[in-house]
Amino acid sequence: MKSRGSSGIAVVGSGYVGTVVAACMAAIGHEVVGVEINQEKLTKLQSGSSYFYEPGLDERLRAGIEAGLLTFTDDFETAMAGSEIVFLCVDTPPGANGHPDVTNVTAAAKSIGMAMHSPHIIVTKSTVPVGSGNWLTSTIESVLPDDVEPDAFSVVSNPEFLREGSAVNDFLYPERIVLGGDDPMAVRKVAAAYKPILDQTFPGGSPDSRPSLVKTDRSTAETIKYAANAFLATKISFINEIAEICEWVDADIDEVAHAMGLDSRISSKFLQAGVGWGGSCFGKDVEALAATARAHGQEPMILQAAQGVNLHQRHRLVRKLQQHLRPLRGSRVALLGLAFKPNTDDTRDAPAITIARELLERGAIVRAYDPLVKQIPELPNLQTATDAYSLVERADAVVLLTEWDELRDLDFVDVALRMRGDLVIDGRNAFDADRVRAAGLVYEGMGRGVKPRNGKTEPW
Ligand code: UDX
């Protein structure tokens, strides 16, 4: 066995997380090789463009490739020979009983182990169940080549906190970097790889706002990731429950949230009421943390409530439509936005999917428009329009589900002229309610000073 390998970085898995890690590690000066086994995705990445939408990512990919710092391969031997630190960024889709499915992580770990001929540090960025560091170590150990000693590698947990739509900035300008591992030397080396970010010394760095470095053990690092996401998801569910109460007492959730957020103990972030959270992380992570609690005989009461309240928002929105459009069957409903949030083409666990499905099941005629999403795989029959104005043509109701900038600023007078009905449901509390009403339309948000016509919900 060689005593030392290259000092480069390998990134295994080139999805939403891995591609950002690879491009940004190259941007701060490292030699990086990204691994992708899907040929179609690999070809795209090699040509310097990602196969999903993420602002600023393609520029970074191209710059890294042109600088000779970034390459992509499907060959683990090449990647392992060119690296000392391996970031494991393989996806962990939802699996059975709430636990994430670690099939892809297991396969990647085996490929890494089989191609390991020199000491390596394996850094887990994939969100794996708490305690996975030990399981991962055993998996890699079980396939190591004969000339490699079992202690030739260490596993360090380095959870990611990247938001889709701002992942490049989140990586380069984080608030904290968490490293969990039992081997201090390995943790030190990973911290050294992050040094340009920790010190904000890379070109374009922000030396006045340097991130905190949290060094801890592996299980704690893994738990930090779950706890952070579960807290944010719970915070959103909390404000959505308050929004519903606001509707009963005729209070305005925007003002409530604003005033709450002025208290720095609460903070204004993640207090935006609406149709609730979606995406690939919150639902899966809350479920996984709840499953971990249950596996130990603990009842995860707050986590369960956060999930329940979130699902309730989707039903609540359908219910609002039902109350106004009587009957819902045969009514034309125009959905504005399909992605789970703006600036992404991702529809995983998007509220729009549940809402569109429920409306279709109830016989409504549903069409949708999203600036980036042109089809929902789960709903092949959902028709989409080419722009917002042609979407609202002869609609009985218009529903905002993703607060894209281009949708916030619609010309509501034009919208009103095109519609058959006059109902606007703002599922993200993103429209200027006065502008909507000034166009002669009926406005209803989520906990936002609801004043139904004639004080009652009436058929029209
Ligand atoms: C999240 C975490 O923020 C990130 O740290 C983690 O590592 C991955 O999961 P992401 O899923 O990309 O990131 O999106 P995020 O911006 O957190 O939004 C998640 C969902 O919550 C979206 O559907 C968004 O619309 C919703 N949301 C967010 C609200 O409903 N209200 C808010 O105040 C904030």
Coordinates of all heavy atoms in Angstrom, one line a residue, residues 122-165:
I122 N -13.0 9.8 4.6 CA -14.3 9.8 4.0 C -15.2 10.8 4.7 O -15.4 10.6 6.0 CB -14.9 8.4 4.0 CG1 -13.9 7.3 3.6 CG2 -16.2 8.3 3.2 CD1 -13.3 7.4 2.3
V123 N -15.7 11.7 4.0 CA -16.5 12.8 4.7 C -17.9 12.6 4.3 O -18.2 12.7 3.1 CB -16.0 14.2 4.3 CG1 -16.8 15.3 5.0 CG2 -14.5 14.3 4.5
T124 N -18.8 12.3 5.2 CA -20.2 12.1 4.8 C -21.0 13.4 4.8 O -21.1 14.1 5.8 CB -20.9 11.1 5.8 OG1 -20.7 11.6 7.1 CG2 -20.4 9.7 5.7
K125 N -21.5 13.7 3.6 CA -22.4 14.9 3.5 C -23.8 14.4 3.3 O -24.7 15.1 3.5 CB -21.9 15.7 2.3 CG -20.8 16.7 2.6 CD -21.0 18.0 1.9 CE -20.2 19.1 2.5 NZ -20.9 19.7 3.7
S126 N -23.9 13.2 2.8 CA -25.3 12.6 2.7 C -25.9 12.6 4.0 O -25.2 12.3 5.0 CB -25.2 11.2 2.2 OG -24.6 11.1 0.9
T127 N -27.2 12.9 4.1 CA -27.9 12.9 5.4 C -28.2 11.4 5.7 O -29.2 10.8 5.2 CB -29.2 13.7 5.3 OG1 -28.8 15.0 4.8 CG2 -29.8 13.9 6.7
V128 N -27.4 10.9 6.6 CA -27.6 9.4 7.0 C -28.1 9.3 8.4 O -27.9 10.2 9.2 CB -26.3 8.7 6.8 CG1 -26.0 8.4 5.4 CG2 -25.1 9.4 7.5
P129 N -28.8 8.2 8.7 CA -29.4 8.1 10.1 C -28.3 8.3 11.1 O -27.1 7.9 10.9 CB -30.0 6.7 10.1 CG -30.2 6.3 8.7 CD -29.2 7.1 7.9
V130 N -28.6 8.8 12.3 CA -27.7 9.0 13.3 C -27.0 7.7 13.7 O -27.7 6.7 13.9 CB -28.3 9.7 14.6 CG1 -27.3 9.9 15.7 CG2 -29.0 11.0 14.2
G131 N -25.7 7.7 13.7 CA -25.0 6.4 14.0 C -24.5 5.7 12.8 O -23.8 4.7 12.9
S132 N -24.7 6.3 11.6 CA -24.3 5.7 10.4 C -22.8 5.7 10.2 O -22.3 4.9 9.4 CB -24.9 6.4 9.2 OG -26.3 6.2 9.2
G133 N -22.1 6.5 10.9 CA -20.6 6.6 10.7 C -20.0 5.2 11.0 O -19.1 4.7 10.2
N134 N -20.5 4.5 12.0 CA -20.0 3.2 12.4 C -20.3 2.2 11.3 O -19.4 1.4 10.9 CB -20.6 2.7 13.7 CG -20.2 3.7 14.8 OD1 -19.3 4.5 14.7 ND2 -21.0 3.7 15.9
W135 N -21.5 2.2 10.9 CA -22.0 1.3 9.8 C -21.2 1.5 8.5 O -20.8 0.5 7.9 CB -23.5 1.4 9.7 CG -24.0 1.1 8.3 CD1 -24.2 -0.1 7.8 CD2 -24.3 2.0 7.2 NE1 -24.7 0.0 6.5 CE2 -24.7 1.3 6.1 CE3 -24.2 3.4 7.1 CZ2 -25.1 1.9 4.9 CZ3 -24.6 4.0 5.9 CH2 -25.0 3.2 4.8
L136 N -20.9 2.7 8.2 CA -20.2 3.1 7.0 C -18.8 2.5 7.1 O -18.2 2.0 6.2 CB -20.2 4.6 6.9 CG -20.1 5.2 5.5 CD1 -21.2 4.7 4.6 CD2 -20.0 6.7 5.6
T137 N -18.2 2.7 8.3 CA -16.8 2.3 8.5 C -16.7 0.8 8.3 O -15.9 0.3 7.5 CB -16.4 2.6 9.9 OG1 -16.5 4.0 10.1 CG2 -14.9 2.2 10.2
S138 N -17.7 0.0 8.8 CA -17.7 -1.5 8.7 C -17.9 -1.8 7.2 O -17.3 -2.8 6.7 CB -18.8 -2.1 9.5 OG -18.8 -1.6 10.8
T139 N -18.8 -1.1 6.5 CA -19.1 -1.4 5.1 C -17.8 -1.2 4.2 O -17.4 -2.1 3.4 CB -20.2 -0.5 4.5 OG1 -21.3 -0.6 5.4 CG2 -20.5 -0.8 3.1
I140 N -17.1 -0.1 4.5 CA -15.9 0.1 3.7 C -14.8 -0.9 4.1 O -14.2 -1.5 3.2 CB -15.3 1.6 3.9 CG1 -16.4 2.6 3.4 CG2 -14.0 1.8 3.2 CD1 -16.1 4.0 3.7
E141 N -14.7 -1.2 5.4 CA -13.7 -2.2 5.8 C -13.8 -3.5 5.2 O -12.9 -4.2 4.8 CB -13.8 -2.3 7.3 CG -12.7 -1.8 8.1 CD -13.0 -1.9 9.6 OE1 -13.4 -3.0 10.1 OE2 -12.8 -0.9 10.3
S142 N -15.1 -3.9 5.0 CA -15.4 -5.3 4.5 C -15.0 -5.5 3.1 O -14.9 -6.6 2.6 CB -16.9 -5.6 4.6 OG -17.6 -4.7 3.7
V143 N -14.7 -4.4 2.3 CA -14.3 -4.6 0.9 C -12.9 -4.1 0.6 O -12.5 -4.0 -0.6 CB -15.3 -3.9 0.0 CG1 -16.7 -4.5 0.1 CG2 -15.4 -2.4 0.3
L144 N -12.2 -3.6 1.6 CA -10.8 -3.1 1.3 C -9.9 -4.1 0.6 O -10.0 -5.3 1.0 CB -10.2 -2.6 2.6 CG -10.7 -1.4 3.3 CD1 -9.9 -1.1 4.6 CD2 -10.5 -0.1 2.4
P145 N -9.1 -3.6 -0.3 CA -8.1 -4.6 -0.9 C -7.2 -5.1 0.2 O -7.0 -4.5 1.2 CB -7.4 -3.6 -1.9 CG -8.2 -2.5 -2.1 CD -9.0 -2.3 -0.9
D146 N -6.6 -6.3 -0.1 CA -5.8 -7.0 0.9 C -4.6 -6.2 1.4 O -4.3 -6.4 2.6 CB -5.3 -8.4 0.3 CG -6.5 -9.3 0.1 OD1 -7.6 -9.1 0.7 OD2 -6.3 -10.2 -0.8
D147 N -4.1 -5.4 0.5 CA -2.9 -4.7 1.0 C -3.2 -3.4 1.8 O -2.3 -2.6 2.1 CB -2.0 -4.3 -0.2 CG -2.7 -3.4 -1.2 OD1 -4.0 -3.4 -1.2 OD2 -2.1 -2.7 -2.0
V148 N -4.4 -3.2 2.1 CA -4.8 -2.0 2.8 C -5.2 -2.3 4.2 O -6.0 -3.2 4.5 CB -6.0 -1.3 2.1 CG1 -6.4 0.0 2.8 CG2 -5.6 -0.9 0.7
E149 N -4.6 -1.6 5.2 CA -4.9 -1.9 6.6 C -6.3 -1.3 6.9 O -6.6 -0.2 6.4 CB -3.9 -1.3 7.5 CG -2.6 -2.2 7.6 CD -1.4 -1.4 7.2 OE1 -1.2 -0.3 7.7 OE2 -0.6 -1.9 6.4
P150 N -7.1 -1.9 7.8 CA -8.4 -1.4 8.1 C -8.4 0.0 8.7 O -9.4 0.7 8.6 CB -8.9 -2.4 9.2 CG -8.0 -3.6 9.2 CD -6.7 -3.1 8.5
D151 N -7.3 0.4 9.3 CA -7.3 1.8 9.9 C -6.7 2.8 8.9 O -6.3 3.9 9.2 CB -6.5 1.8 11.2 CG -5.0 1.4 11.0 OD1 -4.7 1.0 9.8 OD2 -4.3 1.5 12.0
A152 N -6.7 2.4 7.6 CA -6.2 3.3 6.6 C -7.1 4.5 6.3 O -6.8 5.4 5.5 CB -5.9 2.6 5.3
F153 N -8.3 4.4 6.8 CA -9.2 5.5 6.5 C -10.0 5.9 7.8 O -10.1 5.2 8.7 CB -10.2 5.1 5.4 CG -11.2 4.1 5.9 CD1 -12.5 4.5 6.3 CD2 -10.9 2.7 5.9 CE1 -13.4 3.6 6.7 CE2 -11.8 1.8 6.4 CZ -13.1 2.2 6.7
S154 N -10.5 7.2 7.8 CA -11.4 7.7 8.8 C -12.6 8.2 8.2 O -12.6 8.6 7.1 CB -10.7 8.8 9.5 OG -9.5 8.5 10.1
V155 N -13.7 8.1 9.0 CA -14.9 8.7 8.5 C -15.3 10.0 9.4 O -15.3 9.9 10.6 CB -16.1 7.7 8.7 CG1 -17.4 8.3 8.3 CG2 -15.8 6.5 7.8
V156 N -15.5 11.1 8.7 CA -15.8 12.3 9.4 C -17.2 12.7 8.9 O -17.5 12.7 7.7 CB -14.8 13.4 9.0 CG1 -15.3 14.8 9.5 CG2 -13.4 13.1 9.5
S157 N -18.1 13.1 9.8 CA -19.4 13.6 9.4 C -19.3 15.2 9.2 O -18.9 15.9 10.1 CB -20.4 13.3 10.5 OG -21.6 14.0 10.2
N158 N -19.8 15.6 8.1 CA -19.8 17.0 7.8 C -21.2 17.4 7.1 O -21.3 17.5 5.9 CB -18.6 17.3 6.8 CG -18.6 18.7 6.2 OD1 -18.2 18.9 5.1 ND2 -19.1 19.7 7.0
P159 N -22.2 17.5 7.9 CA -23.5 17.8 7.4 C -23.6 19.0 6.5 O -22.9 20.0 6.8 CB -24.4 17.9 8.6 CG -23.5 18.1 9.8 CD -22.2 17.5 9.4
E160 N -24.5 18.9 5.5 CA -24.6 20.1 4.6 C -25.9 20.9 5.0 O -26.9 20.2 5.5 CB -24.7 19.7 3.2 CG -25.8 18.7 2.8 CD -27.1 19.3 2.4 OE1 -27.1 20.5 2.3 OE2 -28.1 18.6 2.3
F161 N -25.8 22.2 4.9 CA -27.0 23.0 5.2 C -27.3 23.9 3.9 O -27.7 25.0 4.1 CB -26.7 23.9 6.4 CG -26.3 23.1 7.6 CD1 -24.9 23.1 8.0 CD2 -27.2 22.5 8.4 CE1 -24.6 22.4 9.1 CE2 -26.8 21.7 9.5 CZ -25.5 21.7 9.9
L162 N -27.2 23.3 2.8 CA -27.4 24.0 1.5 C -28.8 24.1 1.2 O -29.5 23.1 1.1 CB -26.6 23.3 0.4 CG -25.2 23.0 0.6 CD1 -24.6 22.3 -0.6 CD2 -24.4 24.3 0.9
R163 N -29.3 25.3 0.9 CA -30.7 25.5 0.4 C -30.6 25.5 -1.1 O -29.8 26.2 -1.7 CB -31.3 26.8 0.9 CG -31.6 26.8 2.3 CD -31.8 28.3 2.8 NE -30.6 29.0 2.6 CZ -30.5 30.4 2.8 NH1 -31.5 31.0 3.3 NH2 -29.3 31.0 2.6
E164 N -31.6 24.8 -1.7 CA -31.7 24.9 -3.2 C -32.0 26.3 -3.6 O -32.8 27.0 -2.9 CB -32.7 23.9 -3.7 CG -32.3 22.5 -3.6 CD -33.3 21.5 -4.1 OE1 -34.2 21.9 -4.9 OE2 -33.4 20.4 -3.5
G165 N -31.4 26.7 -4.7 CA -31.7 28.1 -5.1 C -30.6 29.1 -4.6 O -30.4 30.1 -5.2

